[in-house]
Amino acid sequence: MKRLEGKAALVTGGNSGIGLATAKQFVAEGAYVFITGRRQAELDAAVNAIGENIRGVQSDVSNLADLDRLFATIKQEQGHLDILFANAGVGEIAPLGSITEEQFDKTFSINVKGLLFTVQKALPLLPEGASIILNASLTSIKGTPAFSVYSATKAAVRSFARNWILDLKERQIRVNAISPGVVLTPGYDHLGLSDEQLQEFIDSQAVTIPLGRVGTPDEIAKAVVFLASDDSSFVNGIELFVDGGMAQI
Ligand code: NAD
């Protein structure tokens, strides 16, 4: 028996990186999976790569009308949603002193507002016992140079999990945060670093990680599958660090 057999799942930002790896594992475990992203071409490529039991819906998490359209589609096609992985997120490098209002608004709009309304608008579709997983980050509790705005959004995401388990108590819906450490994904291409600077960053991070290396999207996806499945039926409100031990030292 597969661990997510017969479940309907949504992965926001499911066309790349951690989201794509998770969508693949959800399908492999028997789920029917909706993925979202802003660009249709990338969505189509991800859907083709996964092949079956996968549906792409173009939508921007920071656009509430897009979210309404997304959940109307899920309602019409599956009727409910057992698993919600609120994964879409962005980050930009900017030290205090050169943070712009635009950067602040964009990061909070996607990572905090978008995530909140993704979950809130999904609620009517979630049955008793559903599992919500919020993609936070190790930066929710650690300092990183020039990354304070992103880190603050992830602290907010972590806080949502603590509070929402109380708001959803009557419905037996679990909410957990997953906090990846350094995981190489296409997300790093948007940081404006050269290949050399990126490699330097990865090497500098690897030596601070007890396991001595950065992680892979598949390693995060495996932990998300655990939180999505009944294997974690008594796990609620936690922040699961999947980071090679980096947050613990
Ligand atoms: P990625 O760039 O490969 O994936 C991000 C996904 O989010 C993409 O599919 C993108 O299309 C989507 N997205 C961005 N803005 C969106 C919007 N407004 N609406 C809908 N979709 C949107 O990067 P990733 O590393 O896989 O990041 C996924 C999540 O993991 C993010 O929330 C990120 O903060 C978190 N995270 C990543 C790392 C890491 O080291 N890679 C570490 C900690 C947390």
Side-chain angles (χ1 to χ4, degrees):
M1 177 82 174
K2 294 176 176 177
R3 287 190 290 170
L4 305 178
E5 194 72 61
K7 307 254 189 200
L10 167 64
V11 180
T12 62
N15 58 14
S16 174
I18 293 168
L20 177 58
T22 304
K24 276 184 190 157
Q25 290 192 24
F26 278 179
V27 169
E29 289 289 350
Y32 183 92
V33 180
F34 292 88
I35 56 171
T36 70
R38 287 167 299 178
R39 286 177 297 274
Q40 190 66 48
E42 272 94 335
L43 261 186
D44 291 344
V47 167
N48 289 336
I50 294 176
E52 54 172 8
N53 294 326
I54 182 83
R55 167 84 155 90
V57 182
Q58 189 269 330
S59 79
D60 179 336
V61 290
S62 64
N63 179 323
L64 301 195
D66 274 12
L67 290 175
D68 286 336
R69 204 170 35 79
L70 166 67
F71 290 113
T73 303
I74 295 173
K75 184 175 181 189
Q76 190 184 10
E77 295 184 8
Q78 288 288 313
H80 73 288
L81 203 52
D82 304 289
I83 299 160
L84 168 54
F85 182 31
N87 164 73
V90 294
E92 287 176 19
I93 292 175
L96 184 62
S98 51
I99 296 165
T100 65
E101 184 181 13
E102 189 193 358
Q103 259 167 351
F104 177 90
D105 287 344
K106 179 184 171 195
T107 315
F108 270 81
S109 179
I110 295 174
N111 296 8
V112 181
K113 184 186 110 176
L115 178 137
L116 185 164
F117 286 103
T118 297
V119 173
Q120 182 161 290
K121 287 179 180 291
L123 290 180
L125 293 178
L126 301 182
E128 189 165 299
S131 175
I132 299 171
I133 303 108
L134 312 177
N135 202 341
S137 165
L138 167 93
T139 62
S140 69
I141 60 147
K142 292 275 241 190
T144 311
F147 224 32
S148 61
V149 174
Y150 173 83
S151 303
T153 66
K154 295 304 189 175
V157 169
R158 196 284 168 256
S159 176
F160 282 154
R162 291 189 197 282
N163 289 279
W164 290 346
I165 55 173
L166 296 169
D167 293 343
L168 298 174
K169 186 177 165 189
E170 304 309 324
R171 295 173 59 183
Q172 298 282 297
I173 293 173
R174 297 184 296 118
V175 188
N176 291 293
I178 187 148
S179 280
V182 183
V183 178
L184 254 197
T185 65
Y188 283 85
D189 300 342
H190 309 305
L191 291 180
L193 302 175
S194 65
D195 288 353
E196 198 178 34
Q197 285 171 322
L198 181 59
Q199 193 55 52
E200 263 171 37
F201 171 76
I202 291 163
D203 294 344
S204 70
Q205 295 295 300
V207 293
T208 69
I209 299 169
L211 284 181
R213 63 172 178 86
V214 301
T216 67
D218 280 343
E219 289 177 307
I220 309 304
K222 281 190 272 186
V224 180
V225 169
F226 166 71
L227 292 174
S229 76
D230 289 342
D231 289 350
S232 60
S233 56
F234 204 48
V235 179
N236 199 16
I238 69 159
E239 178 171 23
L240 178 56
F241 291 98
V242 187
D243 63 352
M246 200 177 184
Q248 308 306 321
I249 55 168

